[in-house]
């Protein structure tokens, strides 16, 4: 593995985390850590090319079926793969199948690029994480094992205190804020061996007074109405938020880096 290498192209593979939710731009589209990372790379490498194949709501099987072959065929210098977490949040999850599909993805992607990057996804503090923590940690153990066997880098977001802070998460409690995405981009940047632009990305935010009981209940009601109930409805009907949605950057094209 070559640290501080000059990469001329990047393909991002995954789900909503890599698509960029909830780092919303003024036009309603999402930016996210992968766009920010690509922007940094484009600023130092003329002609840098970037594709983002990630689509919200995708399970690891869908990522393998729809994105992996496309990414491998592009043969970029750098590929990022983050997937499987959506599977762990399902009531019925076959972790053996998830591990097998993740292994298939890594085995197909690693030989097609100069450097494959995997991640231990961030986890928000709260009862949801505690309920699904064993599955998540089983997934991350698989990520570590695959990285060791295939020469991939692992970005440990799960172990970062800053990204566990609920203030780093949007009101849907599933996606990072713009500040969270900026810290993820910095984490990947440093893992690739580049000089830190924010050496304190892991440092927790300054403490603040917790919201009062009324404010917390109002937030809970809003969350339940706008996010939890629709999410349950999609699960019961077998639908996904990404059904029919194309990737935002399906082709490996020059990127001007204006989001950096």
């Amino acid at each position: 593995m070559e640290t501080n290498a000059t990469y001329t192209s990047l393909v991002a593979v995954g789900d909503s985390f890599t698509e960029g939710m909830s780092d919303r731009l003024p036009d309603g589209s999402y930016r996210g850590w992968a766009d920010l990372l690509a922007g940094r790379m484009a600023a130092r490498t003329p002609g840098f090319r970037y594709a983002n194949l990630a689509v919200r709501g995708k399970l690891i099987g869908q990522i393998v079926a729809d994105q992996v072959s496309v990414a491998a065929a592009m043969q970029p210098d750098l590929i990022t793969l983050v997937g499987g977490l959506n599977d762990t949040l399902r009531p019925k999850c076959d972790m053996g199948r998830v591990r097998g599909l993740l292994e298939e993805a890594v085995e197909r992607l690693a030989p097609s690029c100069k450097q494959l990057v995997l991640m231990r996804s961030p986890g928000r503090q709260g009862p949801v994480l505690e309920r699904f923590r064993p599955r998540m940690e089983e997934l991350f153990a698989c990520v570590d094992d695959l990285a060791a066997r295939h020469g991939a880098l692992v970005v440990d977001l799960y172990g970062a205190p800053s990204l566990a802070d609920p203030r780093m998460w949007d009101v849907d409690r599933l996606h990072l804020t713009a500040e969270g995405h900026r810290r993820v981009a910095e984490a990947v940047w440093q893992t690739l061996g580049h000089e830190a632009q924010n050496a304190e990305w892991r440092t927790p935010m300054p403490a603040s007074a917790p919201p009062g009981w009324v404010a917390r209940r109002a937030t809970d009601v809003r969350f339940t109405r706008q996010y939890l109930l629709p999410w349950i409805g999609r699960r019961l009907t077998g639908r996904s938020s990404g059904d029919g949605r194309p990737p935002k950057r399906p082709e490996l094209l020059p990127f001007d880096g204006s989001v950096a």
Side-chain angles (χ1 to χ4, degrees):
M1 184 272 294
E2 181 182 0
T3 60
N4 199 23
T6 298
Y7 298 106
T8 64
S9 52
L10 163 67
V11 176
V13 174
D15 51 33
S16 60
F17 174 70
T18 301
E19 183 184 344
M21 296 174 73
S22 290
D23 183 8
R24 191 183 296 273
L25 295 171
D27 65 0
S29 64
Y30 293 107
R31 180 176 51 181
W33 66 266
D35 285 13
L36 292 166
L37 177 67
R40 290 191 184 189
M41 293 182 165
R44 59 182 280 167
T45 307
F48 183 83
R49 296 176 299 149
Y50 170 51
N52 190 321
L53 307 179
V55 177
R56 66 195 70 173
K58 295 303 180 182
L59 303 174
I60 186 62
Q62 295 169 312
I63 292 171
V64 171
D66 300 337
Q67 300 178 33
V68 167
S69 293
V70 176
M74 291 177 175
Q75 296 191 310
D77 286 350
L78 184 66
I79 295 177
T80 64
L81 167 64
V82 188
L85 197 63
N86 282 336
D87 297 79
T88 68
L89 300 178
R90 297 294 178 101
K92 296 181 179 179
C93 174
D94 182 346
M95 286 303 299
R97 181 173 182 274
V98 171
R99 293 194 307 271
L101 287 165
L102 186 60
E103 181 173 13
E104 178 184 346
V106 170
E107 288 178 345
R108 291 164 62 183
L109 291 174
S112 70
C113 63
K114 291 183 179 178
Q115 183 63 63
L116 177 63
V117 176
L118 308 176
M119 295 190 197
R120 294 161 57 93
S121 303
R124 181 184 186 276
Q125 292 174 351
V128 173
L129 175 62
E130 293 308 313
R131 178 180 178 185
F132 296 104
R133 186 186 296 275
R135 290 181 184 174
M136 293 172 63
E137 294 186 347
E138 183 177 348
L139 176 69
F140 299 154
C142 180
V143 165
D144 291 343
D145 176 65
L146 290 170
R149 289 196 279 127
H150 294 276
L153 295 173
V154 177
V155 184
D156 185 14
L157 306 174
Y158 182 67
S162 62
L163 296 177
D165 190 322
R167 291 172 294 175
M168 286 286 181
W169 295 77
D170 193 45
V171 292
D172 66 1
R173 305 180 184 180
L174 288 173
H175 301 107
L176 291 171
T177 62
E179 175 60 24
H181 280 283
R182 281 192 288 270
R183 295 196 183 209
V184 172
E186 178 68 27
V188 182
W189 181 255
Q190 292 184 28
T191 300
L192 290 170
H194 299 303
E195 183 177 354
Q197 296 187 18
N198 174 15
E200 304 299 321
W201 74 267
R202 297 174 60 93
T203 302
M205 298 173 66
S208 63
W213 185 90
V214 173
R216 294 199 306 273
R217 296 294 77 77
T219 300
D220 289 343
V221 169
R222 179 186 176 194
F223 164 72
T224 300
R225 182 177 64 250
Q226 293 186 221
Y227 301 102
L228 180 59
L229 292 178
W231 184 84
I232 292 173
R234 289 194 299 270
R235 298 292 81 76
L236 293 175
T237 57
R239 294 177 292 119
S240 168
S241 58
D243 288 348
R245 182 177 296 274
K248 65 179 182 181
R249 295 186 63 89
E251 299 181 73
L252 188 59
L253 297 174
F255 188 64
D256 64 13
S258 59
V259 300

